[in-house]
């Protein structure tokens, strides 16, 4: 399939191994695709700023790429170092999330619209929460705030499942919820997803949906994998992704991304 003009890559579990960065075997194929004129972007649930070093490893700054963070709630222009598009969870919904989390005893982590601040309702540092690996800014405890004045790029609810009442009530307000295999719910504003952000980027670049390849492993990748021209699931992806993917590749540690870029873009 030589008509691919844009590649969207999830990070952890796809282009990257968690806490180890971009898999070495993926680096040169990603660079080679850009050298060939194909746009390559990360589309991730991660926050933006702390994730940019991985983009630099594959020269996305040199090739003027975009970076989709927070599952599509924030689109960042890497070369010009600026946010170009956002859609946040509004203040009313953010307050609702904390009330529901309190009601159902759910640990909640919310990235605010200030990239250097999060609001949590549990001792994230004391419990060594894994999300702390992606954040180096200021933590605010929900119960210590007289009032929430922020909006939020993305919230995380810890240790939940599809049948939980918390999840059902959040979705009843139109708020987006994608639960990964570890039971972490990624929560975004109504209508926000990686695919919606990818559509925005593709329109800016004048690229048709049929010319997009997307690769991912988790439920926050589902709409992206299902709806682009060539959606690819990782070998250990959640089953719903495999069910809608047009191809399935190897696991992240074995450079599954490189294998698909070689197959469909570099033809090697």
């Amino acid at each position: 399939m030589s008509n691919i003009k844009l590649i969207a890559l999830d990070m952890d579990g796809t282009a990257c191994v968690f806490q180890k960065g971009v898999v070495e075997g993926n680096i040169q194929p990603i660079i080679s695709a850009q050298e060939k004129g194909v746009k390559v972007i990360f589309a991730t649930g991660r926050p933006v700023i702390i994730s940019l070093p991985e983009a630099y490893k594959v020269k996305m700054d040199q090739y003027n790429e975009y970076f989709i963070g927070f599952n599509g709630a924030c689109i960042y222009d890497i070369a010009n170092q600026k946010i170009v598009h956002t859609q946040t969870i509004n203040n009313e919904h953010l307050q609702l999330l904390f009330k529901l989390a309190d009601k159902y005893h759910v640990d909640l982590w919310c990235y605010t619209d200030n990239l250097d601040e999060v609001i949590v309702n549990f001792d994230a540092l004391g419990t060594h929460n894994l999300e702390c690996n992606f954040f180096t800014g200021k933590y605010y405890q929900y119960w210590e705030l007289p009032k929430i004045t922020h909006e939020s790029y993305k919230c995380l609810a810890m240790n939940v499942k599809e049948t939980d009442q918390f999840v059902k009530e959040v979705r009843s307000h139109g708020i987006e919820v994608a639960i990964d295999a570890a039971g972490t719910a990624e929560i975004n504003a109504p209508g926000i997803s990686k695919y919606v952000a990818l559509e925005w980027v593709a329109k800016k670049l004048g690229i048709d949906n049929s010319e997009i390849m997307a690769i991912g492993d988790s439920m926050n990748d589902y709409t992206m994998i299902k709806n682009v021209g060539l959606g690819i699931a990782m070998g250990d992806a959640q089953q719903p992704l495999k069910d809608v993917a047009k191809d399935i590749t190897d696991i992240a540690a074995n450079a599954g991304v490189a294998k698909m870029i070689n197959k469909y873009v570099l033809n090697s």
Side-chain angles (χ1 to χ4, degrees):
M1 188 171 291
S2 59
N3 68 325
I4 298 299
K5 296 181 180 179
L6 171 61
I7 303 171
L9 303 174
D10 172 50
M11 294 186 75
D12 294 301
T14 302
C16 308
V17 170
F18 183 68
Q19 293 186 304
K20 293 184 179 180
V22 179
V23 174
E24 185 67 28
N26 290 332
I27 293 176
Q28 189 53 54
I30 292 173
I31 293 172
S32 295
Q34 293 174 105
E35 289 173 344
K36 191 176 178 179
V38 176
K39 306 299 288 182
V40 186
I41 66 173
F42 284 133
T44 178
R46 283 192 190 191
V48 175
I49 301 302
I50 200 169
S51 305
L52 291 177
E54 301 306 317
Y56 301 149
K57 286 181 185 178
V58 291
K59 300 186 179 180
M60 289 182 179
D61 53 330
Q62 296 181 34
Y63 286 96
N64 301 312
E65 309 292 15
Y66 290 103
F67 184 101
I68 294 174
F70 298 112
N71 292 329
C74 181
I75 304 175
Y76 189 82
D77 181 333
I78 299 176
N80 293 304
Q81 300 181 2
K82 65 179 182 179
I83 295 171
V84 292
H85 186 70
T86 63
Q87 187 167 335
T88 53
I89 300 170
N90 64 38
N91 182 264
E92 179 182 352
H93 278 161
L94 185 57
Q95 294 188 61
L96 171 69
L97 287 170
F98 275 105
K99 288 177 181 176
L100 290 175
D102 185 53
K103 178 180 178 180
Y104 293 109
H105 309 290
V106 171
D107 289 346
L108 193 66
W109 170 306
C110 287
Y111 286 100
T112 73
D113 48 5
N114 180 330
L115 293 175
D116 295 318
E117 297 176 357
V118 297
I119 303 173
V120 295
N121 68 350
F122 67 106
D123 184 4
L125 290 169
T127 57
H128 306 289
N129 188 272
L130 288 175
E131 197 65 19
C132 296
N133 293 294
F134 300 120
F135 184 71
T136 57
K138 172 72 174 176
Y139 292 80
Y140 288 97
Q141 293 293 340
Y142 168 66
W143 58 77
E144 293 177 353
L145 294 173
K147 182 181 179 182
I148 295 178
T149 58
H150 289 286
E151 296 190 347
S152 173
Y153 283 117
K154 182 184 80 167
C155 293
L156 299 170
M158 314 299 175
N159 302 312
V160 298
K161 53 185 182 295
E162 292 286 349
T163 55
D164 286 352
Q165 196 61 33
F166 170 81
V167 174
K168 292 179 180 179
E169 288 203 34
V170 170
R171 284 184 171 146
S172 73
H173 292 273
I175 300 170
E176 303 290 340
V177 182
I179 304 175
D180 68 18
T184 300
E186 302 201 44
I187 302 171
N188 285 97
I192 272 296
S193 68
K194 291 183 182 181
Y195 179 62
V196 170
L198 188 53
E199 284 186 304
W200 187 95
V201 170
K203 184 176 181 180
K204 283 287 183 182
L205 298 174
I207 293 172
D208 187 77
N209 188 72
S210 64
E211 300 169 320
I212 303 173
M213 179 168 79
I215 311 177
D217 73 309
S218 194
M219 287 308 295
N220 61 351
D221 301 309
Y222 179 83
T223 55
M224 182 170 73
I225 300 304
K226 180 181 179 181
N227 292 303
V228 299
L230 180 59
I232 297 169
M234 300 301 290
D236 54 356
Q238 290 179 263
Q239 190 59 44
L241 270 72
K242 292 182 176 181
D243 292 341
V244 298
K246 292 183 174 65
D247 201 349
I248 298 173
T249 188
D250 207 338
I251 63 173
N254 293 340
V257 162
K259 292 175 181 180
M260 293 297 98
I261 292 176
N262 285 330
K263 179 178 179 178
Y264 289 107
V265 177
L266 303 179
N267 306 118
S268 60

